[in-house]
Amino acid sequence: MRDRRPGVSVRLRLTASYAAVVVVVGTLVLAVVWLFLLRYVPVGNLSSEYGHAPDRNDLVRAFVPPAAAMLVALLVGGLLGGWWLAGRMLAPLARLTRATQAIASGALDHRVDLPGRRDEFRTLADSFDGMVDRLAAQVVEQQRFAANASHELRTPLATTRALLDVAARTPDRDPSELVARLRSVNDRAVALTESLLLLARSGAHVPDGAVVDLALFAEEAIEDALDGAAARGVRLRHDVATAPVRGSASLLQQLLTNLVQNAVRHNVGDGQGGWVLVRTGTTNGTVRVEVENSGPVVPDDVVATLTEPFQRGSGRRHDDDAGVGLGLAIVDRIVSSHGGVLTIRARADGGLSVTVVFAAVP
């Protein structure tokens, strides 16, 4: 159990240390004078034809009082100077303490911003400011994410309630249609909840895991998307080669699944020659995953927002098959947690080109 009793302040301890060092050094100097000077002066009557000469006792009586006064002066000077020096040395810590208290009270915009040249205190203050910057960014992101999630979850719940109200007002209506629509709304809510959990899970750095081959995950993702692609008339193509990376197998598999499903979902309509191309491989010590797809032209300003939660490039917000707007947001989180780089580019003739780059492993 930690001792919660108040202790002596660091400034007072440093002051006592400075004063003790000064007094000890002064005492050693006086001791050297005694050992190497006074002890060679004889004791006794040193009178001669020239008069009385002081002996050791005379010198001691003359030396001790001023030496004692000097030690007292050194002690007082050490205490005063030590208190001042300790205050100067601990000023950055006091500034850091005030910043910590302000941030703990909720002022996440407060920073230490310690001036001067880089030393141990400046390094500590800069590290603290960097930590608060990341904390503030995460808090803002979580607040925005919670607001968006609440808005998105309210939609299926409101739809469910409206369907139940309609069913209550028309008891003679065939319930099979109601059950089918409720099932669809429920499936959408479940998918959204699972995506939210996966997005939260992939937000932190993933520790080193097993070595996995993204080519296998790409083939599985393509196989899983075959039925949906066939229903939309989208042709799936792939050119996969070995792409070994180290990380979480479940998250990396979800990454490929989201990329392929997103490419299939946001494609051209039936009978318009839609296609999706998936490539994996290793070049120059890096692993690359590329997913390209046909589709409507996506403006550049929309491309910049596609990795934000609940953003849909196609603009379809209420289509049952439009997804929950978390596909690329989850991809971005997974890539970041594995130290990779995600690049999204709009194709000139429509659709997107998504590239993910990881560091390769043997």
Side-chain angles (χ1 to χ4, degrees):
M1 182 180 295
R2 298 181 60 185
D3 190 354
R4 298 184 179 274
R5 296 175 297 175
V8 181
S9 68
V10 175
R11 186 176 186 181
L12 185 57
R13 282 184 286 174
L14 288 176
T15 300
S17 300
Y18 294 152
V21 170
V22 171
V23 172
V24 169
V25 171
T27 303
L28 289 176
V29 172
L30 296 178
V32 169
V33 173
W34 171 263
L35 291 176
F36 294 96
L37 180 62
L38 294 181
R39 78 177 198 171
Y40 292 106
V41 178
V43 179
N45 188 5
L46 301 180
S47 300
S48 65
E49 58 180 328
Y50 300 104
H52 177 75
D55 61 358
R56 185 188 301 176
N57 293 330
D58 295 329
L59 293 177
V60 168
R61 285 192 295 270
F63 177 75
V64 169
M70 179 59 67
L71 287 178
V72 173
L74 288 175
L75 177 60
V76 174
L79 290 173
L80 295 178
W83 184 262
W84 181 77
L85 288 175
R88 290 291 303 273
M89 293 297 297
L90 295 177
L93 287 182
R95 186 167 179 166
L96 183 62
T97 300
R98 292 192 296 270
T100 304
Q101 293 172 345
I103 292 170
S105 64
L108 293 179
D109 58 341
H110 190 85
R111 298 294 182 271
V112 181
D113 196 18
L114 191 66
R117 296 184 178 181
R118 181 172 296 278
D119 55 9
E120 289 82 356
F121 288 121
R122 172 73 182 277
T123 301
L124 176 62
D126 291 347
S127 300
F128 181 83
D129 288 343
M131 179 192 67
V132 177
D133 287 337
R134 293 188 295 272
L135 178 63
Q138 290 177 359
V139 169
V140 171
E141 182 181 357
Q142 289 177 357
Q143 291 175 344
R144 183 179 61 177
F145 180 76
N148 290 336
S150 300
H151 175 76
E152 293 290 328
L153 285 172
R154 186 166 59 244
T155 300
L157 294 177
T159 303
T160 300
R161 182 174 180 176
L163 292 174
L164 293 175
D165 290 342
V166 171
R169 290 195 299 268
T170 56
D172 299 334
R173 186 175 180 178
D174 184 9
S176 59
E177 180 182 357
L178 173 64
V179 171
R181 295 192 63 183
L182 286 176
R183 188 187 300 271
S184 175
V185 173
N186 182 74
D187 290 342
R188 179 175 172 81
V190 170
L192 176 59
T193 304
E194 292 177 349
S195 298
L196 290 172
L197 293 175
L198 182 61
L199 185 63
R201 178 187 173 190
S202 60
H205 175 70
V206 176
D208 291 341
V211 177
V212 296
D213 190 355
L214 296 184
L216 300 178
F217 294 158
E219 293 175 350
E220 293 179 5
I222 293 172
E223 184 177 355
D224 293 340
L226 284 176
D227 293 340
R232 295 174 175 80
V234 175
R235 184 162 51 96
L236 294 177
R237 295 180 295 167
H238 65 276
D239 180 14
V240 295
T242 301
V245 298
R246 185 181 299 276
S248 169
S250 60
L251 290 179
L252 292 173
Q253 185 174 20
Q254 188 66 39
L255 180 146
L256 268 302
T257 300
N258 283 15
L259 286 178
V260 175
Q261 290 183 352
N262 188 80
V264 172
R265 181 178 295 117
H266 300 288
N267 216 300
V268 294
D270 295 342
Q272 298 184 27
W275 55 269
V276 174
L277 175 60
V278 182
R279 298 190 188 96
T280 64
T282 304
T283 57
N284 299 325
T286 60
V287 167
R288 296 177 64 89
V289 176
E290 299 178 6
V291 178
E292 294 188 32
N293 64 276
S294 59
V297 176
V298 183
D300 291 337
D301 57 340
V302 175
V303 173
T305 66
L306 291 180
T307 56
E308 297 181 5
F310 310 109
Q311 296 295 324
R312 300 175 176 86
S314 64
R316 298 176 301 170
R317 296 189 56 86
H318 301 292
D319 185 354
D320 290 340
D321 198 35
V324 295
L326 288 172
L328 291 179
I330 293 175
V331 168
D332 183 54
R333 293 287 185 89
I334 295 175
V335 172
S336 298
S337 63
H338 286 78
V341 178
L342 172 66
T343 303
I344 303 177
R345 180 178 57 86
R347 301 180 67 254
D349 54 351
L352 293 175
S353 175
V354 182
T355 303
V356 179
V357 179
F358 293 111
V361 297

